[in-house]
Structure formats: structure tokens, C-alpha cells
Amino acid sequence: MFRISGFGGLSSTQTGTGTYEREGDFLLVHTTAYPGAKATFQESNGSRKDTCVVKVTGVNGYPIPGILVEPDKVSRKEPGGQVTGSNGTIYLPNTGKLRTITVFGMGYNKITIDYRPGYDYLVRLTDYEVIEDETVVFEFNEIDDETLSVTLLTAEFNLNKRRDSELKKLEKKARKNNLIDKRFKKEHEPYVRQTHTGG
């Protein structure tokens, strides 16, 4: 399991779990279904005719502004996505051709809902991004005996291509784009001297 943040100067946290393998300086994590908290939704009876009300909150119940709520409609002539306001709520009109609703924002776990006519939705987002069913690639470099540098190269590695050449391409791209690494220091357990009292 990994949970790491701050790559690319962003404050978002990314997490995932799965099996891993080491290939030289690269660590490949083949993510599976995430067992921890993820974005969830709750249906309730619709409050407005031909309109779907979507309210977005954090797991603590507080509304989240600035979240994109995007309907997937058969016709592209229909209105597109909307961003939640200070109350975390948006209204999707003309729901006749509405099939799915995708809710996402930077730093939050994305969720797609299969829309059911006549229902409103309360969506609860976690304040981290969950990576599932993808291969994540990290690059490791030992700076010194105490310091390890870790760079996230991709969260969507294609396993169908030649692995060694693809890893080299990712490494080259990281250098070109000057990707920001994370530095980790070894933590030493403080030594506690044992004292014995005679008796």
C-alpha cells in the first residue's frame, strides 16, 4: 500500500494498494481494488421535476465548492458540466437523456454514477485520489546512506509494450519535465539506556 503526496508541486494525495515488483531503480505497483474509504453516493427521491440535484460533500459532511459535476448525455447539444458553489450543490436540468454523472476535482477521489430517473444524489468525496487497476511506476535513487529520492513517473503504465524501453522513456521524460521528487530520511530509534536497580 502506498499513500504519497506533493509530486509536481501539488498538494493532492494519491493512494493505492496491490502487488509490486522491483526492476532496477524502478518500483512497479500493480494496483487492485482499494480496501479503504472511497467516494460514495446516496440516492434520494427527486425534489424537482426533470431536474437532478447533486450535492457534494466531504466525508465529514461539509459541502465542497469547486467540484466538477459532469453529465454524460447521448446528445452533445445538452448543457455540459457544472462546478459546485459554496453550498456544494448543482442542478442538472433536462434529465431525459442523462445516463451517467461523473463527479471529480483535483485532490479528490473521482466517482461515476449510473443515473436513475427521478432521483437526486448526495456524493461524499475523500480528500485523496485512489488509483485502482492501473500500474504505478516510481523511480528510486539513493542520495546517500540516509536519504532516498522517490519520483512518481506514471500512474497508468502500459504493460503491453516493451517494459525496459518504456521505463527508459518515462525516466527521460521525467528529466526533461524536471519532475519533482520526494526525499525520505531514515528514522533512527532513540537509544534508551536500561537501568537496573538491585534489591
Side-chain angles (χ1 to χ4, degrees):
M1 178 177 282
F2 64 88
R3 184 181 177 95
I4 200 158
S5 64
F7 285 111
L10 302 175
S11 60
S12 60
T13 300
Q14 293 166 301
T15 186
T17 186
T19 59
Y20 72 91
E21 56 182 310
R22 180 102 185 245
E23 189 155 317
D25 292 333
F26 302 100
L27 182 74
L28 287 76
V29 182
H30 309 292
T31 61
T32 54
Y34 185 68
K38 293 188 290 187
T40 59
F41 71 89
Q42 186 178 330
E43 289 180 332
S44 60
N45 290 326
S47 55
R48 299 179 175 217
K49 189 177 180 182
D50 297 326
T51 298
C52 176
V53 181
V54 180
K55 181 167 185 176
V56 182
T57 72
V59 290
N60 55 11
Y62 291 105
I64 308 176
I67 299 294
L68 181 62
V69 179
E70 194 167 58
D72 173 28
K73 296 189 169 94
V74 175
S75 170
R76 283 290 156 201
K77 293 178 183 177
E78 300 289 337
Q82 298 180 40
V83 175
T84 58
S86 59
N87 63 355
T89 302
I90 61 101
Y91 302 89
L92 297 174
N94 308 319
T95 57
K97 295 180 180 178
L98 184 59
R99 296 183 302 184
T100 63
I101 301 168
T102 300
V103 181
F104 59 98
M106 182 169 286
Y108 292 93
N109 185 209
K110 178 178 176 180
I111 187 169
T112 297
I113 300 164
D114 289 326
Y115 171 72
R116 292 208 303 158
Y119 285 91
D120 292 340
Y121 293 90
L122 171 63
V123 179
R124 292 186 179 92
L125 299 182
T126 56
D127 58 355
Y128 48 81
E129 296 175 32
V130 174
I131 302 172
E132 295 179 302
D133 303 317
E134 297 284 358
T135 295
V136 181
V137 179
F138 296 98
E139 182 184 18
F140 286 85
N141 284 306
E142 288 189 32
I143 306 299
D144 54 43
D145 290 342
E146 300 280 316
T147 313
L148 184 68
S149 160
V150 180
T151 307
L152 173 62
L153 299 183
T154 183
E156 298 176 341
F157 186 66
N158 189 345
L159 292 169
N160 296 322
K161 294 185 178 180
R162 280 194 56 190
R163 182 179 294 193
D164 54 347
S165 62
E166 287 302 304
L167 288 172
K168 285 175 184 172
K169 282 181 190 174
L170 284 174
E171 186 180 25
K172 189 175 179 182
K173 188 177 177 183
R175 301 289 169 267
K176 182 181 177 184
N177 294 336
N178 205 17
L179 286 185
I180 298 171
D181 64 344
K182 297 278 287 184
R183 301 281 173 105
F184 295 91
K185 288 273 188 187
K186 280 185 182 176
E187 284 190 9
H188 297 281
E189 292 290 329
Y191 175 73
V192 178
R193 186 175 176 185
Q194 298 291 325
T195 57
H196 297 280
T197 56

